[in-house]
Amino acid sequence: MTARASKDVVLRCEDIAVAYGDVQALHPTSLAFEQGKIHVLVGQNGAGKTSLARVLAGIIQPAGGRFWIRGVEARETNVQLVRALGLDIVHQRFTLPPNFTVAEALELVSARKYAGAFYSHRRLAASWLGELQQAEMSVSPNARIRDLPIETIQSLEIIRALAGQAQFLILDEPTALLSPGGVENLFSRLRQLRNAGVTLLLILHKLREVLAVADTISVLRAGRLVLPPSDIAAVSEQQLSDLIIGEGATGEAHAEATSKRMARDSKAVNLALANVSTRQSEAEPALAALSLEVEAGEILGIAGVEGNGQRSLVNLLTGLMPAQGGALRLLGRDVTKLKHHQRRSIGLRVVPFDRIAEGASLSLPLWENVAIWKAERFRRSRFAPLRIGAMKAAAEKALDQFNVQYESLEQPAASLSGGNMQRLILARELADSPPVVIAAQPTRGLDFRATQYVWGALRRLKHDGASIILVSSDLDELINLSDRITVMRGGRLVAEFAPPFEIKGIGDSMIGAMR
Amino acid sequence: MSRWIRSGIRVVAPIAAAFILGFVLFASAGYDIGEVINGLWQGALAAPGSAEQSLRWAIPLSVISFGIVITLRTGEFNIGAQGQILLGGFGAVSVALLLPDWSPYLVIPLALLFGIIFGALWSAIAGFLKVWFNADEVINTLMLNFIAALLIQWVTTGPLKDDATRGETASTPRVDQTFRLSDGAGVSIELIAIVLIAAALAWIIIERSPFGLKSKLVGSSPRVAAWQGLQIKRIHITTYLLTGAFAGLAGALEVLGPSARLVTGATPTLGFTAIVVAIVGTLRVPGALLAALFFGGLQAAILYLPIVSRLPSSGLRIIEGLVALLITAQFVWLRRRHNRRREL
Amino acid sequence: MEQFVVTTIRLSAPLIFAGLGGLFSVRAGVFHIGIEGLMLAGAFVTVGFGSATGSVWLGIAGAIAVNMLLSFVYWLLIDRFKADMIITGLGLTTLCVGGSAFLMNALFNKRGSMTSAVRLPQPVVGPQEGLLAYVSELSLLAWLLPIFVFIVWLILRRSRLGLQIAAVGEYPYAAEAAGVDISRTKLVAMLVTGLCCALAGAELSVGGLAAFSENMTNGRGFIALAAILFGSLEPIRTTLAGLFFGLANAVGINSQIYGGESNIPRQFILMIPFVATMVFVTLRGALSQRRISPGG
């Protein structure tokens, strides 16, 4: 770093790296941010953006490297210390307790304390009302956080940080839950802050938003900095899109996918959604009048930046979330009102998003993880005891069929590696060749071999005539496997692509870039 | 095999620690430990009639604990066994007192059945409130215990009052001698047979029924269970019914067995001890049976000790409390070993 | 009538001390089912240590010390050793039931019950007869109850510590983001619970009767826990719930004494608090369910 740069550089990192276990989330990265600007950091899911932000905010310990805030090195991983140096972060998940009043919540979470050990309700409210008014917010300090709209809570998070004298403010995906109008308001507020001398670092996904607000832009891809902070005017939209998505897709995959879809029109529709909507969930926008069809022997890829409604879609398809209007048909039957277990008995299977929290019970033995859900099949009559031997044999057969490596059927699922655990889930869900499968992020966090295995299993299933919906944030995966790809953004299906897939077009559509 | 050893250590270590701590306390209070140990031995096994006494307490403890094993496996904290026992006793005693002229071959099964039904329904109140309204089951079962105790107090001082009794020991009249399953000592072939049948049923429900396996999955990770289409609400309700059914059966056995009537404030600690029995038995039926014998022995010794040594019966309550205090703690050295194992 | 009011206060006071004490733990996310035991320990140590030293204040100080030690052990087990909160709490209660009876026997050679050589002063002496005759039965602690309630309210609802405790219990993520040490805050809350339960026990044992008997709390700790939930985890409402429970108890006792006036058996009057708590907990559960998952 040169002496000139250090003068108005407010944050400087040297070789910051982050690792979770064996996974290198962020390779050694050095970069510096100038004061008084809106810096934007972009990248796909898993590019390492949030990891970097969490290191800077003093939340996680870096695997290596150092960083300086306004020339002072942050020597330990400590939220308070980093705050004292003038850096604060607004997380994706809000930190204000829902049952607190605005004033109480701000007083608790902000580094700025108006009260001493004891406080008077009225005076606390008056003090924070001052802060609120200064930020031109009309919310009452006595309102409960839980009653406020998301936009307001987010603004409060920013006030919370600024009241603590933050000079450098990181916002992690601040637009994820905002309406378009809310995004515009946020941006104008951020510009005001910049003009007042605050330095901002935004983590964003959508290119249009980046272009609307950024002074400089940096790009992370697969844990590496592929574009250091650069003036936004110096980079074209086209270049940015290429940097974010990367060049990964192979022509071979296209050809393969095309060849498999030849006789498409003659096949039956196994799964159909017609004009189905849902309510908004905690973390995702509502689904609005969604329609889609999947035929036998077809893989429909659902692309999209995470948090754009994919989870709601899977919950809706599986019956874990009710539909608000519209109809859902499974193998020709109307299943809109049916529960998950009823849809399963018709032939639906699902590979859930999160292997550990949703896919397998860590404390239960392998065979139970595979066979419990269909335990009723292993008894001779309604009141006969279960034939545990038969259950174990069936589980063993399924586990072997999917090449799960294990020592004993009795070992707990926690003893399996990630790839093996995913194979166990596939063994449970796919062993009886189901006609309809929802696969949600089936290869997330898996190494190359395990990924190849999962892909192979899904392809085989398709060849056997199954309809598969593949939800993934990995474009390579989607392009490799899908017969069609639909892009989801803001709870809607915004574009559909047919092979040969154009990776840039899909990427642009995911992040909302114009072309 | 090492899994068994490890879970054995996890059970034996806290019990041993509880006894050691208790003995240290007794010694420092001036009691002769040798005398206490001898008293324990005599009270639980060696003295005439004491083994019978141990068995007499192991009978209700084991039956109640089967139900608690089921509820704890499903991850529901139904701590209302105390009330469910009383309701079970109430159901059984009502049948026996209302049909004094019927044949015992009809009345006894009917009384047991009513005990089971009363206990199950009492428990299901908390279950339905939990499943339908997300009402906390710990506080509700606790409240139901109090309500049950008052209800029984009213029954024994009002509608089913025995005029010869009053106050703390107010009770219903005695059930007809022909309806009884044992004498006052509380051990008989009939009772043991019923316990063994209950154990076999509990074992089949827990280890050999879809409900049993599914409830284990629901208890260990409800989200995983939901993603596999398990009907969690139905499993929860079934759990509450079964827990109450076993406790109700135990209450009926008390009434038809040793006590022959329903007494105000009867067996106030049985429900709690049964929870400890279930946990010490590692939430398995054979384990619960063994643990019930152990704690039955302790209960017998509690009643016996004051007679032979000067140690008051409350001394052994201390040990029981210490066991409950320590039994669920995951002490660091065990945890570390466990983790290391996982890495290998 | 006056006697009735005084009886209500005397029955409520231990519930309020224990309830407000337990409130610290419950607000910090610890469903403290051991307060029954802590109350009993408080009652015993006050009588035992007070009788031994001849000072009721030393007795109460000893009770506070013992309860804090027990609370620390409980914290150690559930926070550090990840023991189950409910089972361990029940164990704590059993330990105190056994321990108090055992020590009474071992140290004072008494079985069943013992009289206390000391008692709390009864600062207000009413007239011998007439309307205010029963006021003199109220102990100093009972008179101090309003101040106690105010202090608890001040700490829980108007202090930084109170905010931190609430955040730890309600939304630990916020507490973490605010740099609050979750474990330590829980410890502080649980120690305060221990202290208050010592006062509750003292009021119970040396407030009026000046005696200790085996298991003399007889479920009052659990009732205090119910009062906390019935009071929506809020200090003033918990106090009112405690008064309500005391009132129901007084009505039940009175109907026993002056029986015959009504046909309702007293047991059903005594049930009211428990049924009310269940109804209330259920309503709250239903409401919170609706809030968390709209349409779920």
Side-chain angles (χ1 to χ4, degrees):
Chain A
M1 294 289 144
T2 65
R4 187 199 58 80
S6 65
K7 193 180 168 193
D8 47 3
V9 160
V10 63
L11 180 86
R12 190 158 65 84
C13 314
E14 250 180 50
D15 295 330
I16 296 277
V18 180
Y20 301 108
D22 298 336
V23 183
Q24 190 81 12
L26 186 68
H27 294 279
T29 299
S30 300
L31 74 175
F33 294 107
E34 284 175 39
Q35 192 182 347
K37 289 192 169 165
I38 299 181
H39 304 279
V40 174
L41 184 60
V42 291
Q44 284 185 280
N45 297 112
K49 307 178 304 285
T50 299
S51 297
L52 178 62
R54 287 166 70 84
V55 167
L56 297 179
I59 298 164
I60 56 172
Q61 179 95 38
R66 311 154 72 183
F67 67 100
W68 292 260
I69 301 163
R70 293 196 290 171
V72 185
E73 183 176 0
R75 285 179 192 278
E76 40 178 317
T77 304
N78 179 328
V79 177
Q80 309 292 339
L81 174 93
V82 168
R83 279 184 174 184
L85 294 177
L87 184 146
D88 215 324
I89 184 167
V90 173
H91 297 277
Q92 250 177 306
R93 186 176 166 202
F94 298 137
T95 58
L96 304 175
N99 279 336
F100 280 36
T101 68
V102 169
E104 285 169 348
L106 290 172
E107 178 74 16
L108 172 79
V109 183
S110 176
R112 174 84 173 92
K113 303 290 181 205
Y114 276 102
F118 294 93
Y119 60 88
S120 130
H121 228 135
R122 201 179 313 147
R123 259 199 256 148
L124 191 70
S127 307
W128 282 102
L129 184 62
E131 293 277 349
L132 294 171
Q133 282 168 343
Q134 212 180 323
E136 291 172 1
M137 282 191 66
S138 57
V139 62
S140 157
N142 293 319
R144 300 263 161 204
I145 298 290
R146 60 163 188 259
D147 299 329
L148 300 176
I150 285 167
E151 277 90 351
T152 313
I153 300 178
Q154 186 177 55
S155 305
L156 290 173
E157 292 278 356
I158 295 175
I159 289 172
R160 181 269 297 166
L162 293 175
Q165 305 297 309
Q167 297 297 311
F168 189 98
L169 187 57
I170 303 174
L171 293 99
D172 191 2
E173 299 189 22
T175 59
L177 295 173
L178 299 187
S179 65
V183 171
E184 203 28 65
N185 289 339
L186 172 71
F187 284 174
S188 62
R189 171 113 179 84
L190 296 181
R191 283 187 207 103
Q192 278 173 19
L193 291 175
R194 174 198 54 195
N195 297 341
V198 178
T199 313
L200 297 136
L201 175 60
L202 272 58
I203 295 170
L204 291 177
H205 274 305
K206 297 178 187 164
L207 214 47
R208 195 180 317 165
E209 293 173 356
V210 174
L211 296 172
V213 73
D215 293 326
T216 84
I217 180 147
S218 338
V219 180
L220 278 171
R221 193 174 69 225
R224 293 180 201 280
L225 189 70
V226 294
L227 180 71
S230 316
D231 199 64
I232 190 74
V235 200
S236 76
E237 190 175 341
Q238 176 71 61
Q239 279 172 302
L240 270 183
S241 184
D242 291 349
L243 282 167
I244 297 169
I245 306 295
E247 315 283 341
T250 57
E252 209 179 328
H254 299 168
E256 199 185 348
T258 327
S259 69
K260 279 176 206 157
R261 279 186 72 249
M262 284 190 305
R264 194 192 152 193
D265 293 330
S266 60
K267 294 201 174 144
V269 172
N270 275 350
L271 179 67
L273 275 181
N275 275 317
V276 182
S277 307
T278 67
R279 296 215 180 119
Q280 179 162 3
S281 75
E282 261 173 79
E284 287 196 334
L287 303 185
L290 231 60
S291 297
L292 59 81
E293 291 186 349
V294 196
E295 292 175 352
E298 184 186 35
I299 297 182
L300 172 65
I302 306 280
V305 173
E306 264 171 66
N308 274 284
Q310 295 94 320
R311 225 168 219 287
S312 297
L313 175 66
V314 171
N315 285 340
L316 174 75
L317 292 170
T318 50
L320 292 170
M321 185 193 230
Q324 306 289 326
L328 206 159
R329 297 182 75 79
L330 185 64
L331 298 175
R333 284 179 61 179
D334 184 352
V335 298
T336 320
K337 295 271 185 289
L338 295 192
K339 296 205 168 75
H340 184 39
H341 70 101
Q342 292 163 316
R343 296 187 194 184
R344 270 182 180 262
S345 64
I346 295 174
L348 179 79
R349 298 289 183 275
V350 52
V351 178
F353 287 93
D354 185 335
R355 265 194 298 289
I356 290 170
E358 298 160 349
S361 167
L362 296 183
S363 58
L364 258 49
L366 302 184
W367 70 271
E368 293 190 4
N369 262 305
V370 174
I372 279 184
W373 74 274
K374 51 181 178 184
E376 280 83 357
R377 297 184 198 170
F378 298 96
R379 51 185 186 182
R380 292 207 167 84
S381 73
R382 185 150 163 56
F383 294 102
L386 284 178
R387 294 177 302 140
I388 296 291
M391 267 178 104
K392 286 185 182 172
E396 190 171 7
K397 197 175 151 228
L399 289 171
D400 291 346
Q401 188 189 332
F402 284 81
N403 285 327
V404 181
Q405 304 297 311
Y406 62 95
E407 287 165 26
S408 149
L409 284 173
E410 301 288 347
Q411 77 190 69
S415 60
L416 295 183
S417 69
N420 259 326
M421 201 184 290
Q422 192 70 347
R423 287 178 193 209
L424 175 143
I425 294 166
L426 294 181
R428 179 180 71 220
E429 301 295 330
L430 309 185
D432 47 2
S433 302
V436 180
V437 173
I438 321 277
Q441 304 282 17
T443 61
R444 160 167 296 176
L446 298 187
D447 62 23
F448 179 76
R449 255 187 55 214
T451 300
Q452 291 297 322
Y453 185 86
V454 173
W455 288 359
L458 290 175
R459 282 207 191 94
R460 272 200 304 282
L461 198 66
K462 180 186 103 160
H463 277 296
D464 295 346
S467 302
I468 301 174
I469 288 191
L470 171 67
V471 177
S472 178
S473 46
D474 179 352
L475 275 182
D476 282 345
E477 173 167 84
L478 289 166
I479 287 171
N480 260 308
L481 292 178
S482 308
D483 298 305
R484 279 184 294 146
I485 294 178
T486 295
V487 176
M488 225 176 162
R489 199 172 74 232
R492 292 168 188 279
L493 301 176
V494 291
E496 187 173 315
F497 294 84
F501 295 115
E502 191 205 350
I503 194 161
K504 291 193 186 69
I506 299 171
D508 288 347
S509 168
M510 279 164 62
I511 53 184
M514 298 299 196
R515 187 90 40 140
Chain B
M1 200 58 205
S2 73
R3 199 163 56 104
W4 296 104
I5 293 171
R6 209 165 56 237
S7 74
I9 290 174
R10 288 185 74 109
V11 169
V12 173
I15 293 177
F19 271 96
I20 291 167
L21 281 171
F23 285 164
V24 168
L25 179 70
F26 302 157
S28 56
Y31 291 94
D32 181 350
I33 295 302
E35 200 176 282
V36 171
I37 292 174
N38 184 43
L40 271 172
W41 170 246
Q42 297 285 329
L45 275 175
S50 62
E52 198 180 11
Q53 266 295 299
S54 299
L55 210 51
R56 178 255 177 274
W57 289 110
I59 287 169
L61 280 176
S62 59
V63 174
I64 303 162
S65 71
F66 299 153
I68 291 171
V69 167
I70 293 173
T71 195
L72 290 181
R73 278 188 166 229
T74 319
E76 294 294 289
F77 265 95
N78 184 342
I79 56 171
Q82 198 54 48
Q84 295 147 22
I85 300 165
L86 292 176
L87 264 290
F90 174 47
V93 90
S94 306
V95 170
L97 293 178
L98 288 173
L99 308 172
D101 305 324
W102 288 31
S103 150
Y105 295 104
L106 277 172
V107 171
I108 291 174
L110 208 58
L112 291 178
L113 184 67
F114 266 75
I116 289 168
I117 290 173
F118 274 41
L121 291 180
W122 195 251
S123 171
I125 296 174
F128 279 116
L129 294 180
K130 173 75 185 275
V131 167
W132 286 343
F133 302 114
N134 191 28
D136 185 82
E137 80 274 18
V138 176
I139 193 74
N140 273 345
T141 48
L142 202 54
M143 293 300 104
L144 284 168
N145 284 349
F146 282 107
I147 296 171
L150 286 166
L151 200 67
I152 298 312
Q153 208 182 74
W154 169 69
V155 167
T156 53
T157 54
L160 291 179
K161 182 180 174 189
D162 178 5
D163 288 328
T165 64
R166 55 179 317 182
E168 291 294 302
T169 54
S171 81
T172 63
R174 298 173 73 86
V175 302
D176 191 282
Q177 200 59 31
T178 56
F179 298 157
R180 290 188 61 187
L181 293 166
S182 79
D183 58 11
V187 181
S188 67
I189 299 296
E190 292 89 334
L191 280 178
I192 290 171
I194 290 172
V195 170
L196 291 179
I197 291 169
L201 264 176
W203 185 83
I204 287 174
I205 290 171
I206 291 166
E207 310 280 354
R208 289 289 183 273
S209 81
F211 161 81
L213 295 192
K214 287 181 172 181
S215 66
K216 201 170 143 194
L217 181 56
V218 170
S220 80
S221 31
R223 272 176 78 192
V224 173
W227 278 88
Q228 290 178 41
L230 269 57
Q231 294 168 275
I232 295 176
K233 288 186 176 184
R234 180 186 287 190
I235 288 169
H236 276 164
I237 289 294
T238 313
T239 299
Y240 279 90
L241 286 168
L242 286 170
T243 304
F246 280 106
L249 174 62
L253 293 181
E254 278 294 300
V255 163
L256 299 182
S259 93
R261 57 201 176 139
L262 191 59
V263 189
T264 304
T267 58
T269 60
L270 219 46
F272 165 69
T273 309
I275 296 175
V276 183
V277 166
I279 295 171
V280 169
T282 66
L283 302 187
R284 290 184 180 87
V285 171
L289 269 175
L290 279 178
L293 286 171
F294 180 81
F295 281 91
L298 201 59
Q299 182 73 28
I302 282 177
L303 301 175
Y304 181 82
L305 260 182
I307 306 169
V308 284
S309 75
R310 294 172 302 118
L311 187 77
S313 59
S314 49
L316 294 185
R317 278 271 167 262
I318 294 178
I319 290 176
E320 206 178 294
L322 285 170
V323 171
L325 209 56
L326 299 175
I327 192 79
T328 59
Q330 295 167 18
F331 289 105
V332 182
W333 64 274
L334 270 174
R335 215 166 39 197
R336 275 211 199 106
R337 280 174 54 145
H338 189 67
N339 289 349
R340 209 179 302 146
R341 217 159 256 290
R342 204 185 273 178
E343 279 161 21
L344 287 176
Chain C
M1 180 61 204
E2 286 68 28
Q3 187 197 7
F4 183 71
V5 172
V6 169
T7 308
T8 299
I9 293 172
R10 281 186 43 198
L11 289 168
S12 304
L15 294 181
I16 294 172
F17 277 114
L20 292 182
L23 192 52
F24 280 82
S25 291
V26 175
R27 277 176 83 94
V30 178
F31 196 82
H32 199 322
I33 210 160
I35 53 181
E36 166 84 6
L38 290 180
M39 230 174 137
L40 191 62
F44 170 70
V45 177
T46 304
V47 169
F49 198 57
S51 300
T53 57
S55 158
V56 71
W57 306 115
L58 283 176
I60 292 176
I64 289 173
V66 167
N67 266 6
M68 287 204 162
L69 182 70
L70 289 171
S71 298
F72 178 75
V73 171
Y74 185 39
W75 171 81
L76 212 58
L77 288 167
I78 66 172
D79 193 83
R80 285 292 134 97
F81 297 124
K82 309 290 169 217
D84 183 87
M85 203 186 281
I86 306 294
I87 306 288
T88 309
L90 287 171
L92 180 65
T93 293
T94 306
L95 177 68
C96 292
V97 172
S100 57
F102 171 79
L103 290 174
M104 174 166 66
N105 196 301
L107 302 177
F108 302 98
N109 204 17
K110 291 280 186 348
R111 284 183 190 233
S113 66
M114 69 185 281
T115 52
S116 173
V118 293
R119 69 186 319 174
L120 279 165
Q122 295 168 331
V124 178
V125 180
Q128 291 294 312
E129 287 170 30
L131 285 176
L132 293 172
Y134 296 101
V135 170
S136 58
E137 286 179 14
L138 289 179
S139 76
L140 182 63
L141 273 180
W143 284 105
L144 288 177
L145 202 53
I147 298 172
F148 175 77
V149 173
F150 174 73
I151 292 172
V152 169
W153 172 83
L154 195 67
I155 294 173
L156 286 179
R157 305 288 291 145
R158 292 291 183 273
S159 83
R160 178 171 302 165
L161 178 65
L163 284 180
Q164 292 175 347
I165 288 176
V168 164
E170 184 196 319
Y171 199 53
Y173 176 71
E176 241 170 298
V180 177
D181 184 333
I182 292 176
S183 273
R184 220 191 57 192
T185 308
K186 278 189 180 167
L187 173 62
V188 170
M190 290 167 77
L191 288 176
V192 175
T193 301
L195 186 152
C196 297
C197 287
L199 297 181
E203 167 63 18
L204 191 65
S205 60
V206 296
L209 298 166
F212 174 82
S213 57
E214 270 182 37
N215 199 17
M216 79 183 297
T217 47
N218 197 18
R220 282 182 180 81
F222 298 129
I223 296 172
L225 203 57
I228 292 170
L229 296 180
F230 196 60
S232 308
L233 274 61
E234 204 278 327
I236 304 299
R237 284 189 235 168
T238 299
T239 306
L240 293 176
L243 281 170
F244 168 65
F245 287 6
L247 177 77
N249 202 345
V251 172
I253 289 173
N254 270 21
S255 78
Q256 184 180 24
I257 294 170
Y258 307 112
E261 287 171 33
S262 73
N263 291 324
I264 307 168
R266 73 185 180 98
Q267 284 86 7
F268 287 89
I269 295 168
L270 292 171
M271 259 179 222
I272 290 171
F274 308 124
V275 176
T277 301
M278 287 184 68
V279 170
F280 190 75
V281 165
T282 303
L283 285 176
R284 264 173 64 94
L287 288 175
S288 74
Q289 194 176 31
R290 197 157 304 154
R291 200 158 55 222
I292 289 164
S293 58

